[in-house]
Amino acid sequence: MQKQKYNLFKEVFDTYKEYDGTIVADHIQKLRELDEFLPPMQSFFIVTNTSKQIYEFVSKNFEHTLGLSVEKMTTEGIKYWFSHFDPESLPVFLSMLEDLMNFTMTKVEKKDRHKLSYTWNIRVKNSKDEYVNIVEHQTPIYFDGEGKPIIGITHCSLIDEKNKRPIIASIKILNDKNEYETLFYKNYSQLLLSAAVTSREQDIIRLISLNNSSKEIAAKLSISIHTVHTHRKNILNKLNLKTSSELVTYFLNNQLY
């Protein structure tokens, strides 16, 4: 699985050599870190051009993962891809995208938008007419004159789960320690306990789940170890959890990666 994923990342940089060694590579390195801890998933990359409503690149693993056509993705674009979305979820998904762009354009300075990473999930019908859950991590790589992201590299992962999941979206930003900090998080399908968890606590949960010590978390988020310990205690109390394994389950179920 690790070899497969490494080759998948390499396929992107073989196509877009100009992004190797840039902040785009930093974002993708964060995905590699997640690979070590998340359950095995089938993944593929797409490059979305929202201004032209097309996909400029679709990795070879797309057909293997979903059984859908790479050729139709690149020729028919977003119309083809959206035709496989769960129709009940599509209006919520489109509203979610609008929220993410509104937040980006009003809450994030233009100079910092290349540091952003967007995460969301959607149900997609594969070639067997089965709905599967896809989690997408998108990194913006090109902006219009107003600083609006219009082209993004998206890493898509098929989660081995058939049940319908709530649509959850987040925006994270790379800090000066090359660690993500959550700026925006919303569950669009139902009110979960996560509504009571702050953005900082979500970052703590993610880093604990990725096997970081309190000292490492403090360094990555530029806070004191005492503050980390306080957050850990508050998180467990808020979520009524007792063990780290329960916290990891919460991390996965609430898509805090």
Side-chain angles (χ1 to χ4, degrees), residues 5 14 59 75 118 132 153 155 248:
K5 285 182 176 293
D14 283 346
S59 65
T75 57
Y118 303 92
V132 294
I153 292 181
H155 177 267
V248 171

Side-chain angles (χ1 to χ4, degrees), residues 4-68:
Q4 177 192 24
K5 285 182 176 293
Y6 173 79
N7 290 338
L8 180 63
F9 293 126
K10 183 176 182 296
E11 183 183 352
V12 173
F13 288 122
D14 283 346
T15 305
Y16 293 92
K17 293 181 173 62
E18 66 270 29
Y19 295 116
D20 198 5
T22 69
I23 195 169
V24 175
D26 293 336
H27 283 292
I28 290 181
Q29 177 58 34
K30 304 306 290 183
L31 293 174
R32 286 176 170 166
E33 292 174 10
L34 286 170
D35 284 346
E36 299 180 17
F37 297 93
L38 295 179
M41 296 182 291
Q42 295 176 291
S43 303
F44 56 91
F45 274 100
I46 58 178
V47 173
T48 308
N49 186 322
T50 57
S51 64
K52 296 182 179 180
Q53 299 287 289
I54 62 172
Y55 296 105
E56 297 187 350
F57 169 84
V58 181
S59 65
K60 298 174 183 178
N61 211 35
F62 177 79
E63 289 189 351
H64 172 75
T65 302
L66 295 176
L68 303 180

Side-chain angles (χ1 to χ4, degrees), residues 4 17 24 36 59 91 108 150 171-173 179 195 200 248:
Q4 177 192 24
K17 293 181 173 62
V24 175
E36 299 180 17
S59 65
V108 183
I150 58 174
I171 302 175
K172 296 183 286 291
I173 189 169
E179 185 53 62
R200 175 62 85 197
V248 171

Side-chain angles (χ1 to χ4, degrees), residues 46 48-50 53-55 62 66 68-69 72-74 76-98 120-126 131 134 136 138 154 156:
I46 58 178
T48 308
N49 186 322
T50 57
Q53 299 287 289
I54 62 172
Y55 296 105
F62 177 79
L66 295 176
L68 303 180
S69 170
K72 288 186 176 180
M73 281 287 284
T74 55
E76 299 180 21
I78 288 177
K79 181 180 179 181
Y80 174 75
W81 184 224
F82 278 18
S83 71
H84 292 85
F85 281 24
D86 174 11
E88 293 183 3
S89 302
L90 185 55
V92 179
F93 175 79
L94 294 175
S95 176
M96 175 212 76
L97 291 181
E98 185 176 355
W120 59 73
N121 62 294
I122 189 67
R123 279 166 61 80
V124 175
K125 184 181 289 186
N126 62 21
Y131 279 108
I134 301 286
E136 302 188 4
Q138 185 174 102
T154 307
C156 305

